[in-house]
Amino acid sequence: RELRTQYEALAARNLQAAEDWYRARCARLHERAARSQEAVRASRREAGECRRQLQARLVEMESLRGAHQSLERQLQELEERHNAEAAGLQDTIGQLEDDLRNTKNEMARHLREYQDLLNVKMALDIEIAAYRKLLEGEETLFNLGSVGLPSLNSLPSPTYSFQPRSFSSST
């Protein structure tokens, strides 16, 4: 009996210890499972937030890609317009340079004509001066000659008329 009682007491203690160990182990496992479930929920929330951010970034990236393509097209159009304007300005510059060259040539021609006319005028001025000297010399001779010849005084004084020669320009 005593032995039985001891075995029963020992069995009861072992049973109690096993139950306590089982309950403690279950409590730890339930606690770990609760923490794991909370971690899983947090991970799912985080994954959902990451998916939303990813979607937002993808939409933003597509929007930026469209804006980039639009800006590239505008840049291309601006470059083409700029090149066309530059070509037009180059044509205008070429025309202006041609006009300037033609104007310079025309001015040079006018300057040569003016120089030729100036040379003709100077030649005529020299010729006129020579005729004046001749006329003055003849008047002096007439005046001297009329002192010695009284009969010549009755003649009217001579008049001279100048008839210019025509010069043709070589231009």
Side-chain angles (χ1 to χ4, degrees), residues 113-170:
E113 288 176 2
Y114 175 75
Q115 193 65 40
D116 291 344
L117 289 174
L118 192 60
N119 288 340
V120 168
K121 179 190 176 290
M122 289 176 66
L124 289 174
D125 286 343
I126 291 170
E127 196 172 329
I128 289 171
Y131 283 133
R132 262 196 198 120
K133 278 187 179 181
L134 286 174
L135 287 174
E136 288 172 0
E138 286 182 15
E139 282 180 8
T140 306
L141 282 177
F142 277 129
N143 286 339
L144 286 177
S146 65
V147 170
L149 299 171
S151 63
L152 286 178
N153 272 341
S154 63
L155 292 175
S157 62
T159 59
Y160 299 98
S161 67
F162 174 72
Q163 305 226 344
R165 289 190 273 170
S166 64
F167 290 94
S168 65
S169 174
S170 65

Tab-separated table of all heavy atoms in Angstrom, residues 113-170:
chain	number	residue	atom	x	y	z
A	113	GLU	N	34.666	106.028	-113.381
A	113	GLU	CA	34.033	107.019	-114.266
A	113	GLU	C	34.258	108.424	-113.744
A	113	GLU	O	34.569	109.348	-114.512
A	113	GLU	CB	32.530	106.746	-114.387
A	113	GLU	CG	32.195	105.524	-115.210
A	113	GLU	CD	30.700	105.240	-115.221
A	113	GLU	OE1	29.930	106.012	-114.617
A	113	GLU	OE2	30.310	104.229	-115.835
A	114	TYR	N	34.122	108.595	-112.417
A	114	TYR	CA	34.342	109.913	-111.816
A	114	TYR	C	35.780	110.346	-112.028
A	114	TYR	O	36.051	111.502	-112.371
A	114	TYR	CB	34.008	109.854	-110.322
A	114	TYR	CG	34.330	111.131	-109.593
A	114	TYR	CD1	33.521	112.259	-109.744
A	114	TYR	CD2	35.448	111.223	-108.775
A	114	TYR	CE1	33.823	113.423	-109.086
A	114	TYR	CE2	35.759	112.383	-108.121
A	114	TYR	CZ	34.942	113.502	-108.274
A	114	TYR	OH	35.249	114.668	-107.634
A	115	GLN	N	36.728	109.406	-111.848
A	115	GLN	CA	38.142	109.721	-112.041
A	115	GLN	C	38.407	110.114	-113.493
A	115	GLN	O	39.136	111.075	-113.766
A	115	GLN	CB	39.003	108.506	-111.641
A	115	GLN	CG	40.471	108.800	-111.492
A	115	GLN	CD	40.736	109.750	-110.341
A	115	GLN	OE1	40.126	109.646	-109.300
A	115	GLN	NE2	41.638	110.681	-110.554
A	116	ASP	N	37.788	109.361	-114.430
A	116	ASP	CA	37.940	109.714	-115.841
A	116	ASP	C	37.389	111.109	-116.113
A	116	ASP	O	38.032	111.928	-116.806
A	116	ASP	CB	37.216	108.696	-116.737
A	116	ASP	CG	37.899	107.329	-116.729
A	116	ASP	OD1	39.070	107.255	-116.286
A	116	ASP	OD2	37.246	106.358	-117.158
A	117	LEU	N	36.205	111.385	-115.582
A	117	LEU	CA	35.616	112.719	-115.781
A	117	LEU	C	36.477	113.793	-115.140
A	117	LEU	O	36.640	114.894	-115.700
A	117	LEU	CB	34.193	112.769	-115.216
A	117	LEU	CG	33.145	111.986	-115.995
A	117	LEU	CD1	31.823	112.007	-115.244
A	117	LEU	CD2	32.961	112.579	-117.380
A	118	LEU	N	37.023	113.497	-113.957
A	118	LEU	CA	37.891	114.465	-113.288
A	118	LEU	C	39.152	114.707	-114.119
A	118	LEU	O	39.601	115.863	-114.248
A	118	LEU	CB	38.252	113.934	-111.898
A	118	LEU	CG	38.908	114.915	-110.943
A	118	LEU	CD1	37.988	116.102	-110.693
A	118	LEU	CD2	39.230	114.237	-109.622
A	119	ASN	N	39.700	113.637	-114.717
A	119	ASN	CA	40.878	113.802	-115.587
A	119	ASN	C	40.534	114.654	-116.800
A	119	ASN	O	41.318	115.522	-117.216
A	119	ASN	CB	41.405	112.438	-116.027
A	119	ASN	CG	42.075	111.696	-114.890
A	119	ASN	OD1	42.469	112.290	-113.904
A	119	ASN	ND2	42.174	110.374	-115.031
A	120	VAL	N	39.352	114.420	-117.395
A	120	VAL	CA	38.924	115.217	-118.544
A	120	VAL	C	38.760	116.674	-118.135
A	120	VAL	O	39.189	117.591	-118.839
A	120	VAL	CB	37.609	114.641	-119.132
A	120	VAL	CG1	36.993	115.595	-120.132
A	120	VAL	CG2	37.869	113.289	-119.783
A	121	LYS	N	38.151	116.897	-116.938
A	121	LYS	CA	37.943	118.282	-116.462
A	121	LYS	C	39.284	118.971	-116.254
A	121	LYS	O	39.454	120.138	-116.628
A	121	LYS	CB	37.157	118.255	-115.154
A	121	LYS	CG	36.921	119.656	-114.582
A	121	LYS	CD	36.370	119.567	-113.187
A	121	LYS	CE	36.204	120.906	-112.560
A	121	LYS	NZ	37.394	121.609	-112.205
A	122	MET	N	40.232	118.224	-115.636
A	122	MET	CA	41.546	118.842	-115.402
A	122	MET	C	42.221	119.168	-116.731
A	122	MET	O	42.841	120.231	-116.877
A	122	MET	CB	42.407	117.919	-114.545
A	122	MET	CG	41.933	117.834	-113.098
A	122	MET	SD	42.877	116.671	-112.116
A	122	MET	CE	44.466	117.434	-112.074
A	123	ALA	N	42.092	118.253	-117.698
A	123	ALA	CA	42.692	118.515	-119.014
A	123	ALA	C	42.040	119.748	-119.648
A	123	ALA	O	42.720	120.595	-120.236
A	123	ALA	CB	42.542	117.294	-119.918
A	124	LEU	N	40.712	119.842	-119.520
A	124	LEU	CA	40.011	121.006	-120.068
A	124	LEU	C	40.416	122.279	-119.335
A	124	LEU	O	40.586	123.341	-119.970
A	124	LEU	CB	38.494	120.807	-119.998
A	124	LEU	CG	37.922	119.773	-120.970
A	124	LEU	CD1	36.432	119.571	-120.694
A	124	LEU	CD2	38.136	120.212	-122.404
A	125	ASP	N	40.553	122.210	-117.989
A	125	ASP	CA	40.991	123.384	-117.220
A	125	ASP	C	42.375	123.833	-117.672
A	125	ASP	O	42.643	125.043	-117.833
A	125	ASP	CB	41.000	123.075	-115.722
A	125	ASP	CG	39.611	123.019	-115.121
A	125	ASP	OD1	38.676	123.524	-115.781
A	125	ASP	OD2	39.462	122.500	-113.992
A	126	ILE	N	43.265	122.862	-117.916
A	126	ILE	CA	44.624	123.203	-118.386
A	126	ILE	C	44.554	123.847	-119.767
A	126	ILE	O	45.209	124.851	-120.049
A	126	ILE	CB	45.521	121.941	-118.394
A	126	ILE	CG1	45.793	121.494	-116.960
A	126	ILE	CG2	46.810	122.180	-119.155
A	126	ILE	CD1	46.468	120.142	-116.851
A	127	GLU	N	43.712	123.264	-120.619
A	127	GLU	CA	43.560	123.808	-121.976
A	127	GLU	C	42.965	125.212	-121.940
A	127	GLU	O	43.418	126.117	-122.665
A	127	GLU	CB	42.669	122.867	-122.796
A	127	GLU	CG	42.751	123.112	-124.290
A	127	GLU	CD	42.013	122.041	-125.071
A	127	GLU	OE1	41.947	120.888	-124.609
A	127	GLU	OE2	41.518	122.365	-126.149
A	128	ILE	N	41.956	125.399	-121.065
A	128	ILE	CA	41.338	126.730	-120.932
A	128	ILE	C	42.365	127.726	-120.432
A	128	ILE	O	42.450	128.867	-120.927
A	128	ILE	CB	40.115	126.665	-120.003
A	128	ILE	CG1	38.979	125.924	-120.702
A	128	ILE	CG2	39.660	128.049	-119.568
A	128	ILE	CD1	37.805	125.611	-119.795
A	129	ALA	N	43.189	127.306	-119.449
A	129	ALA	CA	44.218	128.213	-118.923
A	129	ALA	C	45.210	128.569	-120.027
A	129	ALA	O	45.646	129.729	-120.138
A	129	ALA	CB	44.914	127.550	-117.743
A	130	ALA	N	45.558	127.576	-120.850
A	130	ALA	CA	46.508	127.861	-121.948
A	130	ALA	C	45.891	128.843	-122.941
A	130	ALA	O	46.546	129.788	-123.388
A	130	ALA	CB	46.888	126.557	-122.641
A	131	TYR	N	44.601	128.658	-123.287
A	131	TYR	CA	43.933	129.595	-124.201
A	131	TYR	C	43.846	130.981	-123.592
A	131	TYR	O	44.016	131.971	-124.288
A	131	TYR	CB	42.532	129.088	-124.573
A	131	TYR	CG	42.540	127.979	-125.603
A	131	TYR	CD1	41.783	126.833	-125.419
A	131	TYR	CD2	43.298	128.079	-126.774
A	131	TYR	CE1	41.772	125.802	-126.341
A	131	TYR	CE2	43.286	127.055	-127.704
A	131	TYR	CZ	42.525	125.934	-127.484
A	131	TYR	OH	42.528	124.927	-128.402
A	132	ARG	N	43.606	131.048	-122.295
A	132	ARG	CA	43.548	132.366	-121.635
A	132	ARG	C	44.884	133.082	-121.759
A	132	ARG	O	44.932	134.270	-122.042
A	132	ARG	CB	43.189	132.194	-120.155
A	132	ARG	CG	41.766	132.411	-119.905
A	132	ARG	CD	41.453	132.634	-118.443
A	132	ARG	NE	40.033	132.409	-118.304
A	132	ARG	CZ	39.437	131.521	-117.556
A	132	ARG	NH1	40.162	130.776	-116.764
A	132	ARG	NH2	38.155	131.388	-117.555
A	133	LYS	N	45.950	132.321	-121.501
A	133	LYS	CA	47.285	132.928	-121.608
A	133	LYS	C	47.515	133.419	-123.031
A	133	LYS	O	48.053	134.512	-123.249
A	133	LYS	CB	48.367	131.927	-121.224
A	133	LYS	CG	48.581	131.801	-119.760
A	133	LYS	CD	49.793	130.926	-119.514
A	133	LYS	CE	50.038	130.795	-118.040
A	133	LYS	NZ	51.191	129.986	-117.758
A	134	LEU	N	47.104	132.600	-123.993
A	134	LEU	CA	47.275	133.008	-125.394
A	134	LEU	C	46.461	134.257	-125.696
A	134	LEU	O	46.943	135.191	-126.353
A	134	LEU	CB	46.869	131.877	-126.338
A	134	LEU	CG	47.831	130.692	-126.439
A	134	LEU	CD1	47.209	129.597	-127.290
A	134	LEU	CD2	49.156	131.131	-127.045
A	135	LEU	N	45.222	134.263	-125.205
A	135	LEU	CA	44.349	135.426	-125.447
A	135	LEU	C	44.908	136.675	-124.783
A	135	LEU	O	44.912	137.765	-125.383
A	135	LEU	CB	42.936	135.152	-124.944
A	135	LEU	CG	42.122	134.176	-125.775
A	135	LEU	CD1	40.790	133.898	-125.073
A	135	LEU	CD2	41.863	134.737	-127.154
A	136	GLU	N	45.374	136.505	-123.529
A	136	GLU	CA	45.938	137.663	-122.832
A	136	GLU	C	47.183	138.162	-123.558
A	136	GLU	O	47.412	139.377	-123.686
A	136	GLU	CB	46.264	137.295	-121.387
A	136	GLU	CG	45.054	137.126	-120.512
A	136	GLU	CD	45.394	136.581	-119.139
A	136	GLU	OE1	46.584	136.322	-118.844
A	136	GLU	OE2	44.447	136.371	-118.348
A	137	GLY	N	47.968	137.201	-124.043
A	137	GLY	CA	49.175	137.588	-124.803
A	137	GLY	C	48.801	138.317	-126.083
A	137	GLY	O	49.421	139.333	-126.452
A	138	GLU	N	47.756	137.887	-126.797
A	138	GLU	CA	47.329	138.547	-128.033
A	138	GLU	C	46.740	139.913	-127.732
A	138	GLU	O	46.968	140.865	-128.477
A	138	GLU	CB	46.318	137.682	-128.774
A	138	GLU	CG	46.948	136.483	-129.450
A	138	GLU	CD	45.943	135.651	-130.230
A	138	GLU	OE1	44.824	136.141	-130.477
A	138	GLU	OE2	46.278	134.517	-130.575
A	139	GLU	N	45.982	140.052	-126.637
A	139	GLU	CA	45.414	141.358	-126.280
A	139	GLU	C	46.526	142.333	-125.985
A	139	GLU	O	46.466	143.509	-126.368
A	139	GLU	CB	44.484	141.222	-125.056
A	139	GLU	CG	43.138	140.651	-125.387
A	139	GLU	CD	42.248	140.541	-124.154
A	139	GLU	OE1	42.608	141.042	-123.075
A	139	GLU	OE2	41.189	139.918	-124.268
A	140	THR	N	47.552	141.834	-125.299
A	140	THR	CA	48.678	142.700	-124.985
A	140	THR	C	49.359	143.147	-126.281
A	140	THR	O	49.697	144.324	-126.447
A	140	THR	CB	49.678	141.955	-124.086
A	140	THR	OG1	49.002	141.444	-122.951
A	140	THR	CG2	50.797	142.848	-123.632
A	141	LEU	N	49.492	142.222	-127.209
A	141	LEU	CA	50.100	142.570	-128.495
A	141	LEU	C	49.231	143.574	-129.248
A	141	LEU	O	49.736	144.518	-129.872
A	141	LEU	CB	50.305	141.326	-129.350
A	141	LEU	CG	51.506	140.442	-129.001
A	141	LEU	CD1	51.527	139.211	-129.886
A	141	LEU	CD2	52.786	141.230	-129.184
A	142	PHE	N	47.915	143.366	-129.217
A	142	PHE	CA	47.012	144.301	-129.896
A	142	PHE	C	47.087	145.683	-129.271
A	142	PHE	O	47.085	146.685	-129.965
A	142	PHE	CB	45.562	143.805	-129.873
A	142	PHE	CG	45.264	142.828	-130.955
A	142	PHE	CD1	44.666	141.618	-130.654
A	142	PHE	CD2	45.567	143.102	-132.284
A	142	PHE	CE1	44.365	140.715	-131.643
A	142	PHE	CE2	45.263	142.188	-133.274
A	142	PHE	CZ	44.669	140.991	-132.961
A	143	ASN	N	47.124	145.675	-127.939
A	143	ASN	CA	47.196	146.972	-127.254
A	143	ASN	C	48.520	147.661	-127.568
A	143	ASN	O	48.561	148.873	-127.780
A	143	ASN	CB	47.045	146.805	-125.749
A	143	ASN	CG	45.619	146.488	-125.368
A	143	ASN	OD1	44.700	146.758	-126.142
A	143	ASN	ND2	45.427	145.910	-124.196
A	144	LEU	N	49.584	146.932	-127.624
A	144	LEU	CA	50.874	147.517	-127.956
A	144	LEU	C	50.901	147.938	-129.432
A	144	LEU	O	51.435	148.975	-129.783
A	144	LEU	CB	51.998	146.511	-127.713
A	144	LEU	CG	52.373	146.220	-126.263
A	144	LEU	CD1	53.442	145.143	-126.212
A	144	LEU	CD2	52.844	147.477	-125.581
A	145	GLY	N	50.297	147.121	-130.228
A	145	GLY	CA	50.285	147.410	-131.660
A	145	GLY	C	49.374	148.590	-131.972
A	145	GLY	O	49.611	149.353	-132.891
A	146	SER	N	48.338	148.840	-131.227
A	146	SER	CA	47.431	149.946	-131.495
A	146	SER	C	48.039	151.261	-131.115
A	146	SER	O	47.654	152.298	-131.645
A	146	SER	CB	46.107	149.741	-130.750
A	146	SER	OG	46.335	149.791	-129.353
A	147	VAL	N	48.989	151.259	-130.245
A	147	VAL	CA	49.676	152.497	-129.899
A	147	VAL	C	50.499	152.940	-131.100
A	147	VAL	O	50.508	154.115	-131.454
A	147	VAL	CB	50.588	152.277	-128.661
A	147	VAL	CG1	51.478	153.451	-128.420
A	147	VAL	CG2	49.766	151.917	-127.452
A	148	GLY	N	51.102	152.050	-131.793
A	148	GLY	CA	51.940	152.392	-132.944
A	148	GLY	C	51.110	152.524	-134.199
A	148	GLY	O	51.500	153.205	-135.126
A	149	LEU	N	49.956	152.017	-134.278
A	149	LEU	CA	49.143	152.067	-135.475
A	149	LEU	C	47.819	152.748	-135.148
A	149	LEU	O	46.884	152.128	-134.688
A	149	LEU	CB	48.862	150.644	-135.983
A	149	LEU	CG	50.084	149.818	-136.384
A	149	LEU	CD1	49.666	148.398	-136.642
A	149	LEU	CD2	50.722	150.410	-137.607
A	150	PRO	N	47.680	153.993	-135.411
A	150	PRO	CA	46.429	154.684	-135.080
A	150	PRO	C	45.281	154.232	-135.968
A	150	PRO	O	44.130	154.311	-135.579
A	150	PRO	CB	46.748	156.141	-135.331
A	150	PRO	CG	48.058	156.207	-136.002
A	150	PRO	CD	48.687	154.899	-135.912
A	151	SER	N	45.576	153.727	-137.117
A	151	SER	CA	44.474	153.340	-137.986
A	151	SER	C	43.798	152.062	-137.502
A	151	SER	O	42.643	151.819	-137.819
A	151	SER	CB	44.987	153.172	-139.412
A	151	SER	OG	45.925	152.117	-139.436
A	152	LEU	N	44.503	151.276	-136.717
A	152	LEU	CA	43.905	150.034	-136.232
A	152	LEU	C	42.940	150.288	-135.081
A	152	LEU	O	42.075	149.474	-134.797
A	152	LEU	CB	44.991	149.054	-135.773
A	152	LEU	CG	45.781	148.369	-136.878
A	152	LEU	CD1	46.842	147.467	-136.257
A	152	LEU	CD2	44.888	147.561	-137.775
A	153	ASN	N	43.054	151.425	-134.441
A	153	ASN	CA	42.169	151.740	-133.329
A	153	ASN	C	40.732	151.875	-133.780
A	153	ASN	O	39.815	151.741	-133.006
A	153	ASN	CB	42.610	153.029	-132.642
A	153	ASN	CG	43.642	152.734	-131.568
A	153	ASN	OD1	43.746	151.597	-131.133
A	153	ASN	ND2	44.377	153.740	-131.187
A	154	SER	N	40.541	152.211	-134.986
A	154	SER	CA	39.179	152.384	-135.463
A	154	SER	C	38.467	151.050	-135.654
A	154	SER	O	37.251	151.017	-135.743
A	154	SER	CB	39.198	153.171	-136.774
A	154	SER	OG	39.898	152.420	-137.741
A	155	LEU	N	39.211	149.949	-135.691
A	155	LEU	CA	38.594	148.632	-135.834
A	155	LEU	C	37.974	148.216	-134.500
A	155	LEU	O	38.486	148.527	-133.437
A	155	LEU	CB	39.637	147.589	-136.248
A	155	LEU	CG	40.219	147.727	-137.654
A	155	LEU	CD1	41.313	146.681	-137.847
A	155	LEU	CD2	39.145	147.540	-138.692
A	156	PRO	N	36.872	147.547	-134.595
A	156	PRO	CA	36.281	147.075	-133.331
A	156	PRO	C	37.199	146.033	-132.671
A	156	PRO	O	37.925	145.315	-133.338
A	156	PRO	CB	34.954	146.443	-133.734
A	156	PRO	CG	35.101	146.114	-135.185
A	156	PRO	CD	36.083	147.091	-135.738
A	157	SER	N	37.155	145.970	-131.322
A	157	SER	CA	38.027	145.012	-130.621
A	157	SER	C	37.536	143.590	-130.895
A	157	SER	O	36.338	143.337	-130.944
A	157	SER	CB	38.048	145.298	-129.133
A	157	SER	OG	36.759	145.155	-128.615
A	158	PRO	N	38.473	142.711	-131.096
A	158	PRO	CA	38.086	141.346	-131.485
A	158	PRO	C	37.417	140.594	-130.322
A	158	PRO	O	37.764	140.795	-129.172
A	158	PRO	CB	39.399	140.697	-131.871
A	158	PRO	CG	40.453	141.451	-131.149
A	158	PRO	CD	39.932	142.852	-130.986
A	159	THR	N	36.478	139.759	-130.653
A	159	THR	CA	35.826	138.907	-129.652
A	159	THR	C	36.192	137.461	-129.950
A	159	THR	O	36.288	137.087	-131.109
A	159	THR	CB	34.288	139.064	-129.707
A	159	THR	OG1	33.855	138.701	-131.006
A	159	THR	CG2	33.873	140.457	-129.353
A	160	TYR	N	36.366	136.728	-128.902
A	160	TYR	CA	36.742	135.326	-129.052
A	160	TYR	C	35.609	134.454	-128.549
A	160	TYR	O	34.994	134.726	-127.532
A	160	TYR	CB	38.017	135.005	-128.249
A	160	TYR	CG	39.201	135.817	-128.730
A	160	TYR	CD1	39.587	136.976	-128.082
A	160	TYR	CD2	39.922	135.386	-129.844
A	160	TYR	CE1	40.660	137.714	-128.525
A	160	TYR	CE2	40.997	136.128	-130.283
A	160	TYR	CZ	41.370	137.277	-129.627
A	160	TYR	OH	42.423	137.994	-130.066
A	161	SER	N	35.369	133.423	-129.284
A	161	SER	CA	34.366	132.458	-128.806
A	161	SER	C	35.059	131.114	-128.640
A	161	SER	O	35.827	130.700	-129.489
A	161	SER	CB	33.210	132.358	-129.807
A	161	SER	OG	33.665	131.791	-131.004
A	162	PHE	N	34.747	130.458	-127.542
A	162	PHE	CA	35.343	129.168	-127.243
A	162	PHE	C	34.357	128.068	-127.569
A	162	PHE	O	33.213	128.102	-127.137
A	162	PHE	CB	35.734	129.099	-125.762
A	162	PHE	CG	36.213	127.746	-125.363
A	162	PHE	CD1	37.450	127.264	-125.782
A	162	PHE	CD2	35.423	126.916	-124.591
A	162	PHE	CE1	37.880	126.019	-125.426
A	162	PHE	CE2	35.846	125.668	-124.230
A	162	PHE	CZ	37.101	125.212	-124.643
A	163	GLN	N	34.798	127.136	-128.372
A	163	GLN	CA	33.959	125.989	-128.719
A	163	GLN	C	34.617	124.754	-128.110
A	163	GLN	O	35.674	124.331	-128.556
A	163	GLN	CB	33.866	125.858	-130.229
A	163	GLN	CG	33.389	127.113	-130.880
A	163	GLN	CD	32.313	126.813	-131.903
A	163	GLN	OE1	32.174	125.702	-132.297
A	163	GLN	NE2	31.590	127.840	-132.296
A	164	PRO	N	33.990	124.170	-127.090
A	164	PRO	CA	34.626	123.015	-126.423
A	164	PRO	C	34.620	121.795	-127.319
A	164	PRO	O	33.725	121.595	-128.104
A	164	PRO	CB	33.753	122.781	-125.195
A	164	PRO	CG	32.432	123.350	-125.539
A	164	PRO	CD	32.702	124.511	-126.467
A	165	ARG	N	35.680	121.052	-127.210
A	165	ARG	CA	35.768	119.794	-127.937
A	165	ARG	C	35.007	118.734	-127.163
A	165	ARG	O	34.933	118.753	-125.943
A	165	ARG	CB	37.226	119.354	-128.068
A	165	ARG	CG	38.015	120.213	-129.029
A	165	ARG	CD	39.345	119.586	-129.294
A	165	ARG	NE	40.286	120.038	-128.249
A	165	ARG	CZ	41.463	119.544	-128.079
A	165	ARG	NH1	41.906	118.569	-128.840
A	165	ARG	NH2	42.246	119.989	-127.129
A	166	SER	N	34.439	117.829	-127.888
A	166	SER	CA	33.701	116.753	-127.190
A	166	SER	C	34.664	115.606	-126.930
A	166	SER	O	35.405	115.192	-127.802
A	166	SER	CB	32.519	116.292	-128.040
A	166	SER	OG	32.986	115.726	-129.232
A	167	PHE	N	34.619	115.089	-125.681
A	167	PHE	CA	35.447	113.948	-125.279
A	167	PHE	C	34.551	112.781	-125.036
A	167	PHE	O	33.490	112.907	-124.434
A	167	PHE	CB	36.222	114.271	-123.980
A	167	PHE	CG	37.308	115.299	-124.173
A	167	PHE	CD1	37.091	116.638	-123.937
A	167	PHE	CD2	38.565	114.890	-124.604
A	167	PHE	CE1	38.079	117.560	-124.094
A	167	PHE	CE2	39.552	115.823	-124.771
A	167	PHE	CZ	39.334	117.155	-124.522
A	168	SER	N	34.972	111.658	-125.484
A	168	SER	CA	34.172	110.443	-125.223
A	168	SER	C	34.877	109.634	-124.133
A	168	SER	O	36.086	109.496	-124.159
A	168	SER	CB	33.992	109.629	-126.496
A	168	SER	OG	35.250	109.147	-126.906
A	169	SER	N	34.094	109.115	-123.257
A	169	SER	CA	34.645	108.320	-122.160
A	169	SER	C	34.912	106.893	-122.648
A	169	SER	O	34.193	106.377	-123.475
A	169	SER	CB	33.645	108.298	-120.989
A	169	SER	OG	34.112	107.434	-120.014
A	170	SER	N	35.933	106.306	-122.104
A	170	SER	CA	36.278	104.939	-122.535
A	170	SER	C	35.478	103.893	-121.791
A	170	SER	O	35.627	102.712	-122.029
A	170	SER	CB	37.784	104.716	-122.302
A	170	SER	OG	38.048	104.770	-120.918
